[in-house]
Amino acid sequence: IQKLIEDINKDVGTAVAPAFAVGQVLFLLAFTGYFVWAIVVLCLDSGAMDCDCAEDSWIWLYGLLALVIPTALGTIMGCIKAGLQLAKVDDKVPPVFISLPPPVTMITLAILGI
C-alpha cells in the first residue's frame, strides 16, 4: 500500500513509510505471540484430552491442526523464501514449490472437516 501511495504522491508515500514499518513490526509481534500462545496452550492442556468430553469433541486435535500446523508451515515457507532470495537463487526454484504447500495444507484440513 505504501508503494501505491508513493506512486501517487512521493512526499506522502515517504511520510507514511515509517507508519507502515511500525505496523508490520506490530503484526509480526502479534503473529509470533499467537503462535507461541497456541503451542503453550496445547502443551499445558494436553492432559485435558483424558476427559470424557474431550474424546467426543477432539478439541485438542483441532487446536493443533487449526492453530499450530498452518502457522508453523507459513513461517517455515516464509523463511525458505527469504533464504532463497538472500542467496539469489529464487529465480532457479519454480514458484509452485513455494506457493503450493499452504493451499495443500488448507485443502487437507478442509477434507478432514476442520
Side-chain angles (χ1 to χ4, degrees):
I1 295 175
Q2 185 265 332
K3 276 294 200 189
L4 294 174
I5 295 172
E6 190 173 8
D7 288 344
I8 295 170
N9 188 332
K10 186 170 177 67
D11 294 332
V12 175
T14 305
V16 298
F20 278 96
V22 169
Q24 285 178 332
V25 168
L26 292 176
F27 173 78
L28 289 173
L29 287 173
F31 179 78
T32 303
Y34 168 79
F35 182 64
V36 169
W37 171 77
I39 291 177
V40 168
V41 166
L42 286 174
C43 291
L44 293 178
D45 291 343
S46 63
M49 197 58 203
D50 295 333
C51 296
D52 294 334
C53 63
E55 293 175 2
D56 294 334
S57 68
W58 290 95
I59 190 66
W60 195 85
L61 181 63
Y62 172 77
L64 177 68
L65 292 175
L67 297 175
V68 176
I69 293 175
T71 307
L73 181 67
T75 303
I76 291 167
M77 293 306 296
C79 290
I80 290 172
K81 187 174 180 180
L84 291 173
Q85 289 175 348
L86 187 64
K88 295 184 171 116
V89 294
D90 55 337
D91 57 336
K92 295 181 174 106
V93 177
V96 70
F97 291 123
I98 301 297
S99 61
L100 191 60
V104 168
T105 303
M106 292 301 139
I107 289 171
T108 303
L109 293 176
I111 290 171
L112 291 173
I114 296 192

